[in-house]
Amino acid sequence: MTLLEALRAIPQEVRSVRIDVEGKAGRVTAPMPEGQITVKFDAESGSDSCAVDGKVVRLARALTGVGTATKRGDKLRISAGNGSYSFSVVAGDSVPLVTEPFAWSALPVTAKALQTALAYVRTAAATDDIRYYLNGVLVHIADEFTAVASNGHVAAIAIDALLGACAPTSIILPNKCVSEIVRLLAAAGSDEVVVETGRRESGTAVLRVIVGPVTYLAVGIDGTFPEYQRVFAANEAASYAAFEAEAVSEAVKRLELTVQPKNPSILMTLADGSMKLASTADPDKGGSETVAAAETFAGQHECGVNPYYLADAVNAALGQAKNVAIGWLAPERAITIQPMAEEGKAATRKWIVMPLRV
């Protein structure tokens, strides 16, 4: 990999970039919100450290075709296609780097399991909650691998088996870190992936993901995540009905156009082998959708639900199975939504959505 290719591998929103060369080994490092990304490249030779503005990355990504990026004196020169540009450089130590743990421990879970688990739960996380520990995804390692997210109105959990023994550990990954990890793992292809955890001297947990020449560090949120086990246990469904996930997703998407923006809600009625979703807005401006069940079910249930939360839960399941199971326990208890494996409900993937009064 060349220096230009390394710059193109850096996310474009970075504000500054550090370039280090030691012999023929070079690396480009960029601080990111709650994290840091490093990309290795092949250098000619020498020993040098410099820093450039993040706009260099955006330019490198905008230039198409094969090109070069070379440091000459106090300038970094980039050329590709018909373009040729020159940028001033400053001292490399002007870009602060993330302090890494003294030791790393391998996380015994496959890259695919980590990527799908994080992708499944991440939309349940809060985005700007005063309870800062909810603005991310909890990764908990004990007897199994667990990813959990919640915004107080919904909660999502994904559980996978570990590949081997591992010391118990937990880390709350900030939302932006989760998005970057999912992106890296989804694009990993045939590259070997290494996932490790560690703790800095301050006690802050750090997750490291290595995909080929790219190393991403995610600094965890210092805080205590709520007792999610109790929440899921208290809302275990007694009955459920199965529906085609795509059909439910499309129905909810259409109803979102009819709800009140300040108080979005729809009425969900499960009965007679189908699910009816109806807007609770003015009848003259509302609407309803009916989705037939994918298999027969007994019992009935009715509750109000936020259509956006319902859509997030169903779309998370849609990415992992054709059908979705919607479960219920009592009128004022949360409904559960989870993908259906071929043999039935998939207990390792689940959302709970709190009901609304309508």
Side-chain angles (χ1 to χ4, degrees), residues 83-105:
S84 181
Y85 300 84
S86 180
F87 294 90
S88 298
V89 301
V90 296
D93 57 12
S94 63
V95 178
L97 302 183
V98 170
T99 303
E100 298 189 27
F102 291 117
W104 295 96
S105 299

Side-chain angles (χ1 to χ4, degrees), residues 56-314:
V56 171
V57 169
R58 294 185 281 279
L59 173 67
R61 294 167 65 97
L63 292 171
T64 59
V66 179
T68 61
T70 309
K71 180 177 179 290
R72 292 288 183 267
D74 62 349
K75 300 292 183 181
L76 179 69
R77 304 184 186 281
I78 298 179
S79 63
N82 296 324
S84 181
Y85 300 84
S86 180
F87 294 90
S88 298
V89 301
V90 296
D93 57 12
S94 63
V95 178
L97 302 183
V98 170
T99 303
E100 298 189 27
F102 291 117
W104 295 96
S105 299
L107 191 66
V109 63
T110 66
K112 182 66 174 178
L114 177 61
Q115 185 244 323
T116 56
L118 292 179
Y120 180 75
V121 306
R122 63 176 175 171
T123 51
T127 56
D128 192 23
D129 201 299
I130 191 172
R131 298 165 293 180
Y132 61 92
Y133 46 81
L134 294 182
N135 298 319
V137 173
L138 171 69
V139 171
H140 179 64
I141 307 298
D143 297 328
E144 52 197 2
F145 166 81
T146 304
V148 187
S150 175
N151 64 11
H153 302 283
V154 301
I157 188 169
I159 302 173
D160 284 286
L162 296 174
L163 299 177
C166 178
T169 188
S170 293
I171 178 172
I172 303 176
L173 297 172
N175 290 325
K176 290 184 178 180
C177 294
V178 173
S179 297
E180 188 62 28
I181 291 170
V182 170
R183 183 191 70 80
L184 280 174
L185 296 179
S190 59
D191 287 334
E192 181 180 352
V193 178
V194 177
V195 183
E196 300 170 312
T197 60
R199 287 194 177 274
R200 301 194 292 191
E201 189 175 357
S202 62
T204 304
V206 181
L207 182 76
R208 179 166 72 176
V209 179
I210 304 174
V211 180
V214 181
T215 298
Y216 181 73
L217 299 179
V219 180
I221 297 173
D222 288 326
T224 302
F225 204 82
E227 298 181 19
Y228 63 89
Q229 299 96 330
R230 183 164 54 87
V231 175
F232 281 93
N235 291 282
E236 186 66 35
S239 305
Y240 81 94
F243 299 89
E244 184 179 348
E246 186 172 1
V248 177
S249 177
E250 291 298 320
V252 176
K253 185 186 301 184
R254 289 187 288 269
L255 279 175
E256 287 177 355
L257 302 175
T258 70
V259 299
Q260 300 173 4
K262 293 184 178 180
N263 185 28
S265 64
I266 57 177
L267 182 66
M268 172 191 290
T269 303
L270 300 164
D272 302 324
S274 66
M275 171 172 52
K276 182 178 180 180
L277 301 171
S279 172
T280 58
D282 186 331
D284 294 333
K285 300 178 181 179
S288 66
E289 294 272 347
T290 300
V291 182
E295 60 183 54
T296 59
F297 68 92
Q300 59 183 23
H301 182 70
E302 185 173 83
C303 69
V305 65
N306 184 306
Y308 302 111
Y309 294 154
L310 177 61
D312 286 342
V314 172

